[in-house]
Amino acid sequence: MNKTWDVVIIGSGLAGYVAANYLGRSSLRVLLIEKSKFYGGRAKTDLIQKQNFNLGPHALYKRGAAMPILDDLGIQLDGSSPKTGGWLINEDQIYKAPFSPLSIFSTNLLSWRERVAWIRVILKISKTNIENMDDITFKEWVLKTSNVMTIQTLLYTLARLATYCDAPDKASAKVILTHLQRVLSGVLYVDYGWQTIIDQLHNQAITHGVQIKKQSTVKQIFVEENNSFTLTLTNDVIHAKQVLYTGDPHHLNHLLMNTTLDSFLDEIIPVKAATLDVALRKLPQPNNSFTLRMDQPYYYSLHSRYAKLSEERNSHILHVLKYHKPEENVDFKTIKQELENFLERIQPGWRNYEITSRFLPNITVSQRLPLVGDEDMLRNSKTAIRNLFIAGDWASPYSILSDAAIATGKQSAKEMMGELDAN
């Protein structure tokens, strides 16, 4: 392997690969380093007994920041969009979810007056200008928007669905509403999982001349006097003019040997969840493809109704998820039982048709819970250390999840090339 590179990218998730694709279009010598033996980070898909399992439920916003970037890179996205609707459980009663025009007027969850109020709230979300909402939490916005408890609970439930965040008293209204606007415009479930996106980005990066090294961990980053970098890897030492870091924000300062960045990185709170990913030969209740609990942070969705996720024609892939609160004390055994019981409520007798399942009790869904004031720390991909850049689902001031990862991947690449051109 070469010892000197124009750019070294740390991490092979969506942010790292998007940046690699844009940087690879230039004549730069680019190296992407991945510590795992698998590419893709949290966007990877596992093939288990011929069933394609993402790491929990994944969906792309159809009108989010990611779609036009993937299109620009020539990434083919096959799949389809779930219908709006489904069911809500509140205090053990089941209601039609008022997420479509028809269901709003047919649900028993809302009175006639509340239905009209709910329509107004949805219209308000779609038309809200979020630019002047930097100093307000999502809970504060909800309380100002409606004094009807059922509508307030609906908004908290919808926010969990759109962002996986279960902290309305802490989360930025600006970021949550940005994602609500996007989820109300529809999402896409991708055929055969998000690994198909990673594989295309990987293959194109190689075509562009990007070198990719997996199972290699960056141990240290030393900033040289000429603003270049020396990186100590598991079994090597290399040099780079620029470094793009896309990993866990808490690790970056630990890697830097002779300097540090703002302590903000160490204070970022991750968004976590528990997921039960299941493949069944048969659905006991085939018409139930989507259910949320309003009174508890639970989610169920039959993704295989809208995307091809199995090599077997008659299998069904579904996800059951619990949204964790920030820094929640997770009891793995209890949560698994809760998720299984929730699925039993929706698909009674599901164990009789199980092909395979996987329980992940405490996955990181997004590296950053978007707090009020975070925007000031994340205006661009440049850091206070010259030629050190950041990207990832935590590195955008206005969004999280895949939209943030893909958008900052492109942004960082453009800023890095601009910096090199300026020199």
Side-chain angles (χ1 to χ4, degrees):
M1 188 174 70
N2 294 334
K3 297 296 184 181
T4 303
W5 301 86
D6 293 314
V7 176
V8 169
I9 300 171
I10 302 173
S12 72
L14 287 169
Y17 266 122
V18 167
N21 272 260
Y22 279 107
L23 290 164
R25 292 176 172 181
S26 67
S27 59
L28 298 174
R29 293 166 298 171
V30 180
L31 172 67
L32 186 150
I33 299 174
E34 170 55 49
K35 65 181 179 181
S36 171
K37 63 180 179 179
F38 302 105
Y39 301 126
R42 283 171 285 121
K44 78 182 184 73
T45 304
D46 295 319
L47 183 63
I48 303 174
Q49 295 187 31
K50 299 182 179 181
Q51 319 302 319
N52 289 282
F53 283 166
N54 291 318
L55 296 179
H58 283 34
L60 275 173
Y61 301 118
K62 292 173 69 174
R63 296 187 180 179
M67 281 291 200
I69 296 173
L70 293 175
D71 183 63
D72 180 50
L73 292 173
I75 303 304
Q76 179 69 37
L77 296 172
D78 296 318
S80 59
S81 301
K83 296 179 181 179
T84 55
W87 302 92
L88 295 175
I89 299 176
N90 191 39
E91 298 178 353
D92 290 328
Q93 297 297 311
I94 300 177
Y95 305 93
K96 286 185 179 179
F99 299 152
S100 68
L102 180 62
S103 61
I104 288 175
F105 288 102
S106 59
T107 183
N108 292 325
L109 176 67
L110 302 171
S111 68
W112 279 104
R113 181 175 293 180
E114 289 171 342
R115 292 173 192 178
V116 173
W118 178 237
I119 292 172
R120 288 174 177 165
V121 168
I122 292 176
L123 291 174
K124 181 177 180 178
I125 291 172
S126 63
K127 295 179 179 180
T128 293
N129 184 344
I130 63 169
E131 294 304 318
N132 299 320
M133 302 183 65
D134 291 344
D135 300 322
I136 184 173
T137 66
F138 183 64
K139 182 176 182 178
E140 289 170 333
W141 181 87
V142 168
L143 296 177
K144 289 181 179 180
T145 298
S146 176
N147 58 6
V148 179
M149 184 173 295
T150 303
I151 290 178
Q152 292 174 356
T153 306
L154 272 173
L155 286 169
Y156 296 141
T157 304
L158 196 57
R160 287 197 298 266
L161 174 66
T163 68
Y164 297 85
C165 299
D166 189 22
D169 57 328
K170 295 182 173 65
S172 161
K174 186 173 187 176
V175 175
I176 302 300
L177 285 166
T178 295
H179 284 261
L180 281 177
Q181 290 173 346
R182 293 172 182 177
V183 81
L184 289 174
S185 296
V187 299
L188 179 75
Y189 293 162
V190 179
D191 286 350
Y192 302 108
W194 282 32
Q195 191 69 46
T196 60
I197 302 174
I198 292 296
D199 289 346
Q200 291 178 75
L201 290 169
H202 174 84
N203 293 337
Q204 289 190 174
I206 290 176
T207 300
H208 291 318
V210 176
Q211 298 293 306
I212 301 174
K213 184 177 177 62
K214 63 181 179 180
Q215 291 184 274
S216 183
T217 302
V218 177
K219 299 290 189 179
Q220 296 178 344
I221 301 174
F222 189 88
V223 184
E224 303 289 356
E225 291 184 2
N226 64 352
N227 297 313
S228 65
F229 302 89
T230 297
L231 292 84
T232 303
L233 311 184
T234 308
N235 297 309
D236 207 352
V237 175
I238 60 174
H239 306 279
K241 293 179 181 178
Q242 293 183 327
V243 170
L244 172 60
Y245 181 80
T246 71
D248 184 337
H250 298 104
H251 292 167
L252 182 50
N253 274 328
H254 296 288
L255 295 178
L256 293 167
M257 289 296 99
N258 57 335
T259 186
T260 58
L261 290 168
D262 194 284
S263 60
F264 165 76
L265 294 178
D266 303 319
E267 297 164 1
I268 290 175
I269 301 170
V271 178
K272 297 201 172 187
T275 181
L276 179 64
D277 309 318
V278 182
L280 301 179
R281 292 187 300 275
K282 178 182 176 182
L283 292 170
Q285 296 292 335
N287 293 327
N288 193 338
S289 59
F290 178 75
T291 301
L292 295 171
R293 286 207 70 127
M294 293 176 63
D295 52 350
Q296 297 178 35
Y298 292 107
Y299 161 102
Y300 157 85
S301 183
L302 178 64
H303 280 216
S304 61
R305 175 151 293 173
Y306 304 100
K308 298 174 184 177
L309 293 170
S310 174
E311 297 181 6
E312 297 181 335
R313 183 176 180 181
N314 296 320
S315 63
H316 308 273
I317 309 297
L318 57 88
H319 301 279
V320 187
L321 181 135
K322 180 182 181 183
Y323 307 92
H324 290 329
K325 292 188 177 297
E327 302 171 343
E328 180 175 340
N329 185 20
V330 179
D331 184 314
F332 296 173
K333 185 176 180 180
T334 300
I335 288 177
K336 183 178 183 183
Q337 188 66 54
E338 290 173 352
L339 291 177
E340 290 176 345
N341 291 343
F342 181 49
L343 181 55
E344 184 68 24
R345 172 77 183 270
I346 297 164
Q347 297 290 347
W350 64 273
R351 289 180 178 86
N352 297 326
Y353 308 104
E354 182 179 350
I355 299 170
T356 187
S357 64
R358 178 181 62 183
F359 172 59
L360 302 173
N362 200 34
I363 60 172
T364 298
V365 180
S366 180
Q367 294 282 11
R368 179 174 69 93
L369 175 68
L371 304 180
V372 173
D374 283 0
E375 296 91 344
D376 294 334
M377 309 301 296
L378 298 167
R379 292 299 178 187
N380 52 50
S381 296
K382 298 179 182 179
T383 69
I385 299 173
R386 187 174 179 185
N387 292 323
L388 175 63
F389 297 77
I390 55 172
D393 64 6
W394 54 274
S396 167
Y398 309 117
S399 59
I400 55 174
L401 303 171
S402 59
D403 261 26
I406 290 170
T408 56
K410 177 180 179 179
Q411 177 186 352
S412 61
K414 298 299 184 184
E415 291 180 358
M416 294 174 88
M417 287 187 285
E419 190 74 16
L420 287 173
D421 290 342
N423 294 332

